[in-house]
Each structure stands twice: as C-alpha cells, then as structure tokens.
C-alpha cells in the first residue's frame, strides 16, 4: 500500500531551522508532483511549496526566501528545508503526492508537528 511518511518536525526557537522529510513507498516516485501543505487549528489546509518531477518549484508568498523544497529521486524522498522560522509557522505539515498522469490517486501523509516558540 502507498505510504507517505513525514518526519523531522519538532520544537525550535524563532529564527531556527528544521528540515522535514517525506519518504514515499510503493509509489512511482517520478510521475508525481510533491507538495508540502500546512493546516493550523480551525483553518483550511494551506499550500506551502511544491516540486514537479522535472524539478520545477513553487512557493507560497508566506515562505518565499525562507523555505526550500527539494527531492531526491534515488531515495524516493522529498524535503522541506525551513529557515528563519517564525511563530506563525507553527502547525502540522503534510506531504502530498499529486500524479502527473490523469486519473491516478492523490496521496497524503499523516503530518508532522512543527512548533516555533521561545
């Protein structure tokens, strides 16, 4: 069964850094656009960043210049490097896999908690 497993979340001070990982299994990694989303309590899930199979990236305005998404095709893993973290970045972060081939299923990970606090 397809799995997306996020890791790397935790507690950091404002201005600190974290690197989130999303490990994909039982999935044709190279035909998916991978994205990171976050969802604060009581709010809708918010787009953070994405990367296509060809390496094209998109970033939300709220994280431009601070977060960098990347992928390692050999390891079937997607990363989100988060620098200059702010308290407002605190929430659960989710990995998403959107197929580039039509009519295939979209997958979500279970989420990893990021807390930015002094």
């Amino acid at each position: 069964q397809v799995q997306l497993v996020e890791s790397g979340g935790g507690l950091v001070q404002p201005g600190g850094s974290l690197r989130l990982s999303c490990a994909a299994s039982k999935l044709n990694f190279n035909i998916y656009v991978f994205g990171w989303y976050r969802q604060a309590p009581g709010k809708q899930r918010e787009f953070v960043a994405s990367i296509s199979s060809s390496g094209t990236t998109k970033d939300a305005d709220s994280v431009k210049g601070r977060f960098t998404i990347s992928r390692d095709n050999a390891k079937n893993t997607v990363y989100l490097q988060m620098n200059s973290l702010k308290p407002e970045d605190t929430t659960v972060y989710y990995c998403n896999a959107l197929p580039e081939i039509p009519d295939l299923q979209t997958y979500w990970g279970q989420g990893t908690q990021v807390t930015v606090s002094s």
Side-chain angles (χ1 to χ4, degrees):
Q1 188 171 5
V2 170
Q3 283 191 307
L4 302 178
V5 180
E6 300 99 330
S7 61
L11 174 64
V12 295
Q13 295 184 344
S17 297
L18 285 173
R19 188 178 73 160
L20 306 184
S21 298
C22 173
S25 62
K26 300 181 180 179
L27 176 152
N28 190 348
F29 190 81
N30 293 321
I31 63 169
Y32 284 83
V33 175
F34 282 87
W36 286 97
Y37 293 74
R38 61 190 183 186
Q39 187 168 20
K43 295 186 177 181
Q44 297 296 310
R45 195 161 293 186
E46 174 191 15
F47 171 79
V48 176
S50 67
I51 184 166
S52 73
S53 61
S54 64
T56 300
T57 60
K58 295 181 180 179
D59 303 304
D61 289 341
S62 59
V63 305
K64 281 186 180 298
R66 300 190 298 122
F67 293 7
T68 302
I69 190 170
S70 62
R71 63 193 289 164
D72 187 334
N73 293 339
K75 296 181 178 180
N76 286 4
T77 301
V78 180
Y79 303 97
L80 184 68
Q81 179 66 47
M82 304 186 295
N83 299 324
S84 302
L85 283 161
K86 304 174 181 179
E88 51 262 46
D89 295 319
T90 296
T91 190
V92 178
Y93 285 72
Y94 297 89
C95 182
N96 166 262
L98 177 68
E100 296 178 338
I101 298 176
D103 300 323
L104 296 182
Q105 185 176 346
T106 297
Y107 297 97
W108 290 92
Q110 82 290 346
T112 185
Q113 175 71 47
V114 171
T115 302
V116 185
S117 176
S118 60

